[in-house]
Amino acid sequence: MQGAGTQVTRELETQSLITALALPYGGKILFAATDAGGVRCYKYPLTGEFYEVKCHEGPITRLHVSYDDCLLVSAGEDGSVLLLDIRDKELAKASTRQQQEKLPWAEEVLVSRAELEERRSHITELEQQVAELTMQTEYQLRLKDLHMQERVKEMTDKFNTELDSDRQKFELLLQEKNEQEMEYEEKLKQAELRHSSQLAALDGQYQIKLMAEVERYQQLLQEKEALNERWDEQNALLVESHERVIAELAEEAEAKLAEEVLAAEALRQEKTAMEKEAAELGVQCPNPKCSSIAFLTARSSGPGCKDETPA
């Protein structure tokens, strides 16, 4: 059967059943194994010409080329494994059947026929033993299968019984859960009603207290305004009395200052007159610390001025 996307470009008549193929990495020769035990060398690309070597007494089952394209390994049903040197260019180029007939058949046999027969008989015995063991194993497996079926049936019955019991427990628990949920919902409703009534009562109390505090605040505010007005009046009276006192004190100070100015002016005039009189008289006190006024006063009152030193 052709694969998808493949195309047959050439068909060749092999005259024998090809059991295995091997293509070297070089890709110039295609090796083919036949059911007669021969290995063929085809030119590649295929032209139909080949060279065949008889290697096995039976069909060849495996054919493989080494990684260096030097050896060809073949294995057959006769129990032999052959290594062929494929580096010979002359043999690889053989293309006619006459040249094939000139070449001798390979006579190398790795296993003798007696050993092969003995091996075959041994294989037959082993196959019989395998068949007997297979029958015994199948019988044991049937017994185990029956035992396991019985065991599975027992476990199934047991688990079904436990499942029924657990289902009943689950239904009871579910019913109890539903009852508890209904009870809790009823309690929750009652608690919400009680909470709402208490909240309304507290709200009313707080509203009353709030109104009382507002009224008290208004009263205190009015008292504060009255106190502010009284203080403003008292402050105005104090300011007025203070200004009046200051004015009176200023008037008294001005009057005293005027009197002192007049007194000073009178003294200055008197001093001037006395100095003139002293100048006219030509008398001078021998003490330079004594003033002319004191000198004239002393002259008019006594014999002269005394030189007094302060203590």
Side-chain angles (χ1 to χ4, degrees):
M1 179 179 292
Q2 299 179 9
T6 59
Q7 183 179 2
V8 177
T9 59
R10 185 178 180 85
E11 294 183 358
L12 297 175
E13 180 64 32
T14 59
Q15 299 177 358
S16 297
L17 180 62
I18 302 299
T19 58
L21 293 173
L23 182 65
Y25 294 101
K28 296 181 179 180
I29 300 175
L30 177 65
F31 295 99
T34 64
D35 58 349
V39 177
R40 294 182 180 181
C41 301
Y42 286 93
K43 289 184 177 181
Y44 189 81
L46 299 175
T47 60
E49 299 178 357
F50 65 90
Y51 168 76
E52 185 173 357
V53 178
K54 181 69 174 178
C55 297
H56 297 271
E57 295 295 330
I60 297 175
T61 57
R62 294 289 185 274
L63 199 64
H64 184 71
V65 179
S66 64
Y67 71 95
D68 55 358
D69 292 347
C70 294
L71 296 177
L72 177 66
V73 183
S74 64
E77 292 184 358
D78 57 353
S80 61
V81 177
L82 270 70
L83 298 176
L84 300 177
D85 188 357
I86 59 176
R87 291 177 295 179
D88 191 354
K89 303 295 183 179
E90 297 297 330
L91 294 178
K93 294 181 179 179
S95 60
T96 60
R97 292 184 178 275
Q98 291 79 10
Q99 291 176 347
Q100 296 173 12
E101 293 175 356
K102 291 178 182 179
L103 295 174
W105 294 93
E107 296 179 355
E108 291 82 5
V109 179
L110 299 179
V111 182
S112 63
R113 192 177 298 276
E115 291 178 356
L116 183 60
E117 293 296 333
E118 183 179 358
R119 184 173 296 178
R120 286 179 179 174
S121 63
H122 183 62
I123 291 172
T124 304
E125 292 177 358
L126 291 176
E127 289 177 351
Q128 291 178 357
Q129 292 179 4
V130 169
E132 292 176 358
L133 290 174
T134 303
M135 292 178 63
Q136 292 179 2
T137 304
E138 289 178 354
Y139 178 71
Q140 293 294 331
L141 289 175
R142 289 196 199 96
L143 291 178
K144 288 183 179 180
D145 191 12
L146 292 174
H147 178 69
M148 292 303 295
Q149 288 180 359
E150 293 178 357
R151 180 68 176 169
V152 168
K153 184 178 180 181
E154 292 177 358
M155 296 297 291
T156 303
D157 295 338
K158 179 180 178 181
F159 289 145
N160 288 331
T161 304
E162 292 179 356
L163 183 62
D164 294 336
S165 176
D166 292 338
R167 187 180 291 109
Q168 293 177 0
K169 291 180 181 179
F170 175 75
E171 290 176 355
L172 292 174
L173 291 173
L174 183 61
Q175 183 178 0
E176 184 178 356
K177 172 180 170 292
N178 294 330
E179 292 177 356
Q180 289 181 357
E181 285 181 352
M182 293 176 64
E183 182 179 357
Y184 290 148
E185 287 178 358
E186 185 66 24
K187 290 182 179 179
L188 183 61
K189 289 180 181 179
Q190 294 178 1
E192 288 178 352
L193 292 174
R194 185 169 59 254
H195 176 69
S196 60
S197 62
Q198 291 178 357
L199 183 62
L202 291 174
D203 192 10
Q205 293 177 3
Y206 288 138
Q207 289 294 334
I208 294 171
K209 289 182 180 181
L210 184 62
M211 293 301 295
E213 291 295 328
V214 169
E215 291 177 357
R216 192 164 66 87
Y217 173 75
Q218 294 293 336
Q219 184 178 359
L220 291 174
L221 187 61
Q222 291 176 0
E223 292 178 357
K224 174 180 173 293
E225 291 177 354
L227 289 174
N228 287 335
E229 292 177 356
R230 191 182 309 162
W231 182 84
D232 291 337
E233 292 176 357
Q234 292 178 359
N235 189 25
L237 293 175
L238 289 173
V239 169
E240 184 179 356
S241 63
H242 179 68
E243 290 177 353
R244 186 171 57 253
V245 170
I246 290 174
E248 292 176 355
L249 291 175
E251 291 177 355
E252 291 178 359
E254 289 177 356
K256 289 181 179 181
L257 182 62
E259 292 177 356
E260 290 178 357
V261 169
L262 293 175
E265 184 66 25
L267 289 174
R268 187 166 53 253
Q269 291 176 1
E270 185 179 356
K271 175 183 177 184
T272 304
M274 288 182 177
E275 287 178 352
K276 287 180 180 181
E277 185 181 356
E280 290 175 358
L281 293 176
V283 181
Q284 186 175 3
C285 182
N287 188 3
K289 296 181 181 179
C290 183
S291 62
S292 61
I293 297 173
F295 175 73
L296 291 175
T297 304
R299 184 165 176 253
S300 63
S301 61
C305 180
K306 293 182 180 181
D307 187 7
E308 294 181 359
T309 303

